[in-house]
Amino acid sequence: MKNYLSIDQGTTSSRSIIFNSKLQKLCDSQIEYDLAYPNDGWVELEPLDILETVKATTKKVLQDYDQIEACGITNQRETTIVWSKETGAPIYPGIVWQDRRTSEYCNELKAQGYEETVKKRTGLVLDPYFSATKINWILENVDGAREMASEGKLAFGTVDSYLVYQLSKEKNHYTDVTNASRTLLFNIHDMCWDEELLSIFEIPASMLPEVLPCDGDFGTLNIQAKDIPIRGIIGDQQGALVGQSCFESGDMKSTYGTGCFLMVNTKDDPINVDEGLLTTIAYGLKGETSYAIEGSIYSSGNIIQWLRDKMKIFNDAKDSENFINIDGNSNNVLFLPAFNGLGAPFWDSEIRGGFSGITQDTTLNDMVTSAFHSITFQTKEIARILENNKIEINKLLVDGGMVSNKTFCQVLSDTLQKSIIKPENVESTALGACKVAMIASGEDVSSFRDNLTTFEPNNSLKEIYEDNYQRWRKYVVHNLSEN
Ligand code: ADP
C-alpha cells in the first residue's frame, strides 16, 4: 500500500497528515498560528508563519514515514500574498480573505458599472473577500510596489501558490483552477486569466501564476532531504467537497471551520443563482471541469473562538456544547454574526456584530445559544435561496472543526428540518487534497466510504426554530448598512 502526504493550510492552523491509499489516517501534526487585526475590518497573516508551520508539521509526520508517493495541498482561499521574484520575500503581510479594507474601492467599481462584467466572467460578486482588490491595495499602498509590478518584478499568489513557490525545488509559480476561480481575475467559462478584468483591477499579467488543473504536476516538494511530487492542489472548500465524495450533480456539503461554506456540485453546468450565491469551480480532475454553487458565510467557528478568547465564557471550544439550550430557545436573545461584515447572501462589508433582546434575566446560555443559532440561521438563509432555485436539500453532509460538537449538529438539523450527515473523519478538506493527489497518481478513490452519523430533525421544534429564524432575519436586515 502506498502513502500520501496531505498539507492543509487553514485560517487558524497548518496541518500535515499522512494517509494510506485506503484513506486511513496514519499520523498527523497541527500547529496554530495568530492572525493580526491592525485596523477595523483588517485581517493579516505573516507569510513566514504559514511557511514555518507547514514545514514543521510536514517534517514531523515525515519522521516515521519514508516512502511517500505524492503530496496534495489544500489551503485557505483568496488570501493574498505578493512577493519579490528576485528575493522571494513578501513585500507586505498576507491579506486574509476576511479582510474588508477594500470595501470603498469595491463600491467605486460598482458605481462605475463593473458588477455585471465581473459576475458574468468570474461567477463572483464584487466584494473585498476575493483577491483582486487586495492585490490592487498592495500595489497602491506599498512603497515602490506599482513600479516593481510594471517592471515584472513582483509575483502574486494565493497561499497554495506561495507554498509551491517557496517549497518546490523548481520554484514553480503555479496555482490550480479552484484557487484561480476565487481571485476575481479568472474567467471560469474560458478557463484563463481575463485581460479585461486585469485591466479593471490594474494588475499586470506578469504577476500571475500559471493555472493547472487540480491534479496537475506542480513540482517537487523538497523537505528534510526528501523529494515528494506535488500532484494535487485544491482550495479548502472544494477540497471538502471532494473529501465528502460529492461527485454527482446535486451532491452538497457544508463545512463549519472559521467560516462556513455550503457547496453544491453542478457538474459541467456553471449555474448562475442570483440573490448572493456564487458560481465557482468545484474541481478540475481527469481532464474535466466541474462547477459548484457556493454560499459563503464569513463567521462560524470564529464566533466560538471569540466567546472563548475574548468573552472568556469557556476555556475550550468543546465546552461550548454545555451552554447550548436544546429546546430551540435563546429567550429572545439574537446575535448578529458580523465581526467583519456579512457574506452570502447579504454581502455587506460595513455592518458589524451585535446582540439584541438582552434583559435582566438573560443568561450566558442564552447568549451562547443565540451565537450558535446565528450560524444555523445563516445556513438556513442559503438553503432557502437554493430551494427557491429548485435545488432541493434532501440531506446535508457536514464537516469542519465545529461539527465535532454534536449538539450543534442537532441544532442545525432542527433549524433546517433536514437530516444532517457527519463523517467519522471531519477533516474532509485534508482528505480531499489527498484524494486529488491519489487520482493524479492513478489510484481509484471512488469506492471510499467513511462511517457516517446521521442527525434527524426533531419535528416538535419546527415552529419555534422557524419563528426564531424569522425574528433573526428581520434583525439582520434591519441592521444592513444601506438601511
Ligand atoms: P479552519 O480550517 O478554518 O482553520 P477548522 O475546521 O480547523 O477551521 O475548525 C476550527 C474552528 O472550529 C475554530 O474556529 C473553533 O472555534 C471551532 N470549533 C472547534 N471545536 C469546536 C466545538 N467542539 N464546538 C464549537 N466550535 C468548535
Side-chain angles (χ1 to χ4, degrees), residues 231-379:
R231 290 309 317 271
I233 292 187
I234 189 160
D236 54 6
Q237 300 311 321
Q238 286 89 338
L241 195 74
V242 168
Q244 292 261 34
S245 303
C246 292
F247 291 120
E248 299 303 325
S249 186
D251 285 355
M252 63 180 79
K253 66 87 203 178
S254 198
T255 301
Y256 294 88
T258 305
C260 160
F261 300 84
L262 196 154
M263 260 190 165
V264 188
N265 193 335
T266 61
K267 296 295 279 184
D268 57 359
D269 191 2
I271 297 176
N272 176 35
V273 173
D274 285 323
E275 302 169 74
L277 301 195
L278 311 174
T279 310
T280 204
I281 295 179
Y283 46 80
L285 287 172
K286 300 188 204 166
E288 282 174 17
T289 302
S290 283
Y291 295 89
I293 298 171
E294 177 178 312
S296 326
I297 297 168
Y298 292 154
S299 287
S300 180
N302 63 329
I303 300 172
I304 313 308
Q305 241 171 2
W306 174 75
L307 293 171
R308 183 193 65 187
D309 300 341
K310 302 288 181 192
M311 298 297 100
K312 314 267 183 213
I313 297 178
F314 35 79
N315 293 323
D316 193 318
K318 69 175 183 303
D319 297 333
S320 62
E321 200 155 0
N322 307 326
F323 289 81
I324 307 176
N325 301 336
I326 52 166
D327 60 359
N329 241 319
S330 58
N331 297 315
N332 292 327
V333 179
L334 299 171
F335 181 63
L336 173 57
F339 297 132
N340 288 303
L342 287 174
F346 305 104
W347 298 107
D348 185 338
S349 299
E350 269 102 66
I351 189 172
R352 292 291 178 268
F355 281 102
S356 113
I358 290 175
T359 67
Q360 191 81 47
D361 285 335
T362 297
T363 62
L364 281 182
N365 280 45
D366 297 334
M367 294 175 80
V368 173
T369 302
S370 73
F372 275 97
H373 284 178
S374 77
I375 300 166
T376 63
F377 291 166
Q378 287 182 98
T379 310

Side-chain angles (χ1 to χ4, degrees), residues 196-230:
E196 191 177 337
L197 295 174
L198 287 170
S199 142
I200 293 171
F201 295 105
E202 299 175 280
I203 296 167
S206 60
M207 292 182 74
L208 302 176
E210 188 178 329
V211 185
L212 305 186
C214 299
D215 54 358
D217 185 350
F218 292 90
T220 317
L221 180 72
N222 185 244
I223 265 183
Q224 244 185 354
K226 290 190 176 98
D227 280 349
I228 303 172
I230 308 170

Side-chain angles (χ1 to χ4, degrees), residues 6 28 51 70 121 143 159 180 266 309 388 435 443 472:
S6 177
D28 69 351
L51 199 58
R121 295 176 187 214
D143 264 359
V159 165
T266 61
D309 300 341
N388 284 348
K435 280 187 182 176
E443 300 230 26
W472 173 84

Side-chain angles (χ1 to χ4, degrees), residues 9 43 50 54 84 146 185 201 210 212 215 217 293 307 315 348 368 391 415 427-428 468:
Q9 205 302 304
V43 189
I50 56 174
V54 164
S84 152
R146 184 58 77 193
L185 301 170
F201 295 105
E210 188 178 329
L212 305 186
D215 54 358
D217 185 350
I293 298 171
L307 293 171
N315 293 323
D348 185 338
V368 173
I391 298 166
T415 303
E427 287 154 2
S428 306
N468 285 334

